[in-house]
Amino acid sequence: MASEIHMTGPMCLIENTNGRLMANPEALKILSAITQPVVVVAIVGLYRTGKSYLMNKLAGKNIGFSLGSTVESHTKGIWMWCVPHPKKPEHTLALLDTEGLGDVKKGDNQNDSWIFALAILLSSTFVYNSMGTINQQAMDQLHYVTELTHRIRSKSSPDENENEDSADFVSFFPDFVWTLRDFSLDLEADGQPITADEYLTYSLKLKQGTSEKDKNFNLPRLCIRKFFPKKKCFVFDRPVHRKKLAQLEKLHDEELDPEFVQQVADFCSYIFSNSKTKTLSGGIKVNGPRLESLVLTYVNAISSGDLPCMENAVLALAQIENSAAVQKAVAHYEQQMGQKVQLPTETLQELLDLHRDSEREAIEVFIRSSFKDVDHLFQKELAAQLEKKRDDFCKQNQEASSGRCSALLQDIFSPLEEEVKMGIYSKPGGYRLFIQKLQDLKKKYHEEPRKGIQAEEILQTYLKSKESMTDAILQTDQTLTEKEKEIEVERVKAESAQASTKMLQEIQRKNEQMMEQKERSYQEHLKQLTEKMERDRAQLLKEQERTLALKLQEQERLLKEGFQTESRKMQNEIQDLQKKMRQRRTCTIS
């Protein structure tokens, strides 16, 4: 977390007022200042099941999230507490405590469903907290998981293939942790001791049969197995006698059941060690501002009557960050050019070389900071801005050279002009003296350094403006015959024509250099874009391979349990995913 961010306690992130969800600007401001990657742990469950106690322990405190001690939901909306991650340096642990589900006073299951969906969308680890054992009642209370496909979309324009979203959900969804409070049974199956994880696996087994009752039994279990391939379970003994539960946050560990204290420690240790950084499709690590953007996008979608869409949230985030990436890249270019360029440059190529190096670095800055640049619109915007910056530098270079050369001409040639005014060269033999002095001064001018690209053009313009003065001196020189004067006039004309031809060639050469630079710029953008797309493709394939492995495991479990129909459905999903992976591997980047 940024060093200046210190949350001494939780703050409401998403307010729930009269069934209307709204993001809290003050909480969003805190998120916007957190530059580190965030590990987001959200907890959901029925009201009065002790969710807040576990979240306080994850924050390293006894008091923080409101525990409450009555039979009504104490937490409203979703509350946030950001603390330094205790085991991951340079990471922030963002804890989200949610409003208790099933509060009879609300009388609005839809509101609970949105709270449940938001907790899943925002978290990297999703904790479901319930009382007692995993029985059918506990499964019925977890009916929200069966509604997820009706509450969340993975794509803004879904494929005709209905199986696609399942694979997308798996890649987006958090890890699942089920915490069972006041658990009083012995952990055993068929007379043999089992772990809490094995108990969860056993509880998620499906029931053979096609009746409506069988379907209702299997549906939440299938959803948990499909959407949350990585699952973990913790059981907790009752911490103290029921009458002391109201003072739980004030009690020291020595006053609590030792088994409960150790179970809480094990839970916290697992969360700290195994909860991953919140990551979006494409391996995009979420920091505070990105989490802020996700909150706003999802809450605004729900408030406007739409389904929160994961793809839209990522694209909205990309719009913000890619725009910032363009500005960051342009600022880097300006900084580098400001440090490296000393105007005027001796040649245009010198300036273009400096531009090329700075441009390459600027593109690298953009590539590192951008993602999901659909149709490369932002990179094209960057290219346009860098081209304009280059043209601006070329114009400044030209102006600096013109100014420098004009000043030099004034310093070098003004004494000659004064001599002409004084009539020093208006005498027999004066023309030859004038031409000799003129040649000496031109040589002196050429020897001056850092004149820049306008040196010859400014000189020729100056000499052309003085042709009448030169001709007047020539015509008044009585030592020259008419024939010699005619020859001299032709020589001056030829010299001027030669200089004009040389200037035209120089202009053509500069134009060619500019065209070559444009092509090099295009190739540099294309090169870095291609490399990024290859990295993105490899990252997406890695995600799909992980999803495929999880689906294969689930299919194997279904076969072992004898559920042929569900296994065939899973096989169809696997085949669809494998087809996409083949297409991604063989597609060429244009």
Side-chain angles (χ1 to χ4, degrees):
M1 192 188 304
S3 58
E4 69 274 12
I5 300 299
H6 295 287
M7 289 187 72
T8 55
M11 174 182 287
C12 187
L13 173 63
I14 300 173
E15 299 170 350
N16 185 9
T17 308
N18 297 323
R20 179 178 173 81
L21 301 176
M22 293 181 63
N24 177 14
E26 287 300 312
L28 295 178
K29 186 177 179 181
I30 290 174
L31 283 178
S32 69
I34 300 174
T35 57
Q36 294 179 347
V38 289
V39 175
V40 187
V41 180
I43 191 165
V44 169
L46 295 184
Y47 71 100
R48 297 300 302 121
T49 53
K51 305 185 309 300
S52 299
Y53 180 84
L54 290 180
M55 298 306 269
N56 287 339
K57 286 299 181 183
L58 289 175
K61 306 289 183 181
N62 284 335
I63 300 175
F65 291 109
S66 176
L67 267 61
S69 57
T70 63
V71 291
E72 63 181 30
S73 176
H74 223 251
T75 303
K76 298 296 182 184
I78 298 179
W79 285 64
M80 171 187 79
W81 196 352
C82 296
V83 297
H85 198 289
K87 286 194 176 182
K88 292 184 178 180
E90 306 301 321
H91 282 67
T92 292
L93 178 62
L95 302 171
L96 303 182
D97 189 15
T98 63
E99 179 173 330
L101 306 176
D103 186 351
V104 292
K105 284 195 172 184
K106 285 191 297 185
D108 186 359
N109 284 334
Q110 177 167 291
N111 192 256
D112 283 349
S113 296
W114 286 130
I115 295 287
F116 189 93
L118 282 170
I120 284 177
L121 287 168
L122 297 175
S123 65
S124 50
T125 295
F126 177 83
V127 181
Y128 181 71
N129 191 72
S130 66
M131 300 294 288
T133 62
I134 302 178
N135 53 23
Q136 191 55 37
Q137 182 184 2
M139 281 294 173
D140 290 341
Q141 290 168 346
L142 193 50
H143 66 88
Y144 306 100
V145 76
T146 67
E147 302 170 8
L148 286 174
T149 53
H150 304 295
R151 296 284 171 186
I152 298 171
R153 286 185 298 154
S154 64
K155 294 184 177 296
S156 55
S157 301
D159 194 282
E160 290 181 3
N161 186 347
E162 295 179 356
N163 292 323
E164 182 181 18
D165 273 359
S166 172
D168 291 330
F169 284 160
V170 169
S171 65
F172 275 103
F173 273 21
D175 294 338
F176 181 86
V177 177
W178 196 330
T179 52
L180 298 167
R181 312 298 292 276
D182 295 359
F183 189 83
S184 56
L185 296 181
D186 291 330
L187 282 175
E188 60 178 39
D190 301 325
Q192 298 296 319
I194 57 174
T195 65
D197 290 340
E198 289 169 335
Y199 173 68
L200 175 59
T201 300
Y202 179 83
S203 301
L204 292 176
K205 281 188 175 182
L206 306 180
K207 183 183 288 186
Q208 295 283 0
T210 57
S211 69
E212 196 65 28
K213 184 178 180 181
D214 293 330
K215 290 179 181 178
N216 291 335
F217 178 92
N218 289 337
L219 182 58
R221 290 168 172 81
L222 274 171
C223 289
I224 293 172
R225 289 168 61 153
K226 179 183 286 188
F227 293 141
F228 304 104
K230 186 175 180 181
K231 296 175 284 291
K232 183 73 179 173
C233 183
F234 288 92
V235 298
F236 299 86
D237 291 354
R238 182 185 286 267
V240 289
H241 189 276
R242 184 177 61 82
K243 291 183 178 180
K244 288 188 176 182
L245 285 175
Q247 289 82 40
L248 186 58
E249 61 186 13
K250 298 177 183 177
L251 299 178
H252 298 291
D253 284 353
E254 310 86 66
E255 302 174 81
L256 303 177
D257 184 293
E259 284 288 325
F260 174 79
V261 173
Q262 184 58 50
Q263 290 160 349
V264 171
D266 292 343
F267 166 76
C268 291
S269 177
Y270 174 84
I271 295 296
F272 295 150
S273 300
N274 294 278
S275 291
K276 302 187 293 288
T277 300
K278 176 68 177 174
T279 306
L280 304 178
S281 177
I284 302 158
K285 303 292 184 184
V286 174
N287 57 14
R290 289 175 175 173
L291 185 57
E292 174 197 14
S293 177
L294 293 178
V295 170
L296 281 171
T297 303
Y298 291 140
V299 171
N300 289 342
I302 293 170
S303 298
S304 62
D306 293 333
L307 296 182
C309 173
M310 291 181 280
E311 182 182 51
N312 285 349
V314 173
L315 291 176
L317 180 58
Q319 288 280 327
I320 296 169
E321 297 219 359
N322 290 344
S323 180
V326 170
Q327 298 311 311
K328 185 177 179 181
V330 170
H332 181 85
Y333 172 85
E334 290 175 333
Q335 179 192 41
Q336 292 300 305
M337 290 293 282
Q339 292 174 353
K340 296 174 182 178
V341 176
Q342 184 180 348
L343 299 179
T345 58
E346 203 64 61
T347 64
L348 174 62
Q349 193 59 53
E350 179 186 340
L351 178 64
L352 293 180
D353 287 345
L354 293 172
H355 160 78
R356 185 173 67 249
D357 292 342
S358 300
E359 179 186 50
R360 184 184 66 253
E361 291 183 21
I363 299 171
E364 289 172 356
V365 168
F366 172 79
I367 292 294
R368 284 197 302 269
S369 305
S370 66
F371 64 93
K372 298 285 183 184
D373 185 9
V374 180
D375 296 329
H376 322 305
L377 295 179
F378 286 94
Q379 188 162 358
K380 290 174 183 176
E381 170 63 20
L382 173 63
Q385 288 201 34
L386 292 181
E387 183 175 346
K388 184 178 183 302
K389 293 291 180 184
R390 179 204 64 203
D391 292 344
D392 288 344
F393 270 105
C394 287
K395 184 179 179 182
Q396 293 173 34
N397 193 39
Q398 193 173 26
E399 291 172 350
S401 177
S402 297
R404 161 91 171 136
C405 293
S406 296
L408 276 176
L409 288 173
Q410 178 66 25
D411 290 343
I412 293 172
F413 286 89
S414 58
L416 176 64
E417 292 182 27
E418 286 299 318
E419 290 174 353
V420 171
K421 289 178 182 178
M422 293 167 59
I424 291 177
Y425 301 104
S426 300
K427 61 182 181 180
Y431 179 75
R432 294 190 186 281
L433 290 173
F434 173 80
I435 293 297
Q436 182 59 51
K437 186 66 177 286
L438 190 63
Q439 295 299 328
D440 292 342
L441 294 179
K442 285 165 64 176
K443 181 181 179 183
K444 183 180 179 181
Y445 172 82
H446 284 129
E447 288 174 350
E448 287 288 337
R450 308 299 300 179
K451 293 187 295 299
I453 61 175
Q454 294 295 98
E456 195 61 33
E457 184 176 337
I458 295 298
L459 175 62
Q460 293 305 319
T461 300
Y462 171 79
L463 293 177
K464 194 167 187 64
S465 71
K466 302 303 177 184
E467 282 181 356
S468 59
M469 180 182 71
T470 304
D471 188 60
I473 295 172
L474 173 64
Q475 298 304 327
T476 57
D477 192 335
Q478 297 176 358
T479 62
L480 296 174
T481 65
E482 289 301 318
K483 182 66 175 175
E484 287 174 325
K485 289 179 181 178
E486 290 175 8
I487 293 172
E488 186 60 22
V489 167
E490 291 302 318
R491 183 192 70 78
V492 171
K493 286 182 179 179
E495 189 178 88
S496 178
Q498 186 179 15
S500 296
T501 301
K502 185 178 178 182
M503 277 196 297
L504 288 173
Q505 291 173 342
E506 181 63 21
I507 291 172
Q508 184 178 356
R509 191 168 71 88
K510 288 176 183 177
N511 289 336
E512 289 173 355
Q513 288 175 323
M514 291 296 289
M515 292 301 295
E516 288 171 3
Q517 179 55 49
K518 285 184 178 181
E519 176 60 24
R520 281 196 290 266
S521 293
Y522 170 77
Q523 292 299 333
E524 183 63 36
H525 276 277
L526 184 62
K527 171 177 170 288
Q528 293 204 38
L529 174 63
T530 302
E531 291 172 353
K532 178 176 174 56
M533 291 177 70
E534 286 290 358
R535 290 193 297 271
D536 290 347
R537 180 165 65 168
Q539 176 64 37
L540 287 171
L541 276 170
K542 185 178 178 182
E543 291 176 8
Q544 289 178 327
E545 285 167 356
R546 173 180 170 273
T547 301
L548 177 63
L550 294 169
K551 284 184 172 292
L552 287 168
Q553 290 174 9
E554 178 61 18
Q555 185 195 27
E556 185 179 349
R557 282 193 290 268
L558 288 168
L559 282 171
K560 284 182 179 179
E561 294 173 23
F563 290 91
Q564 299 296 330
T565 301
E566 293 299 333
S567 175
R568 282 194 295 273
K569 290 180 181 177
M570 183 62 71
Q571 179 62 30
N572 290 336
E573 292 185 23
I574 289 170
Q575 289 174 348
D576 290 339
L577 185 56
Q578 288 173 328
K579 179 181 178 182
K580 290 177 186 175
M581 292 173 68
R582 285 194 298 271
Q583 290 172 343
R584 192 172 296 281
R585 286 193 178 98
T586 57
C587 74
T588 57
I589 297 175
S590 58

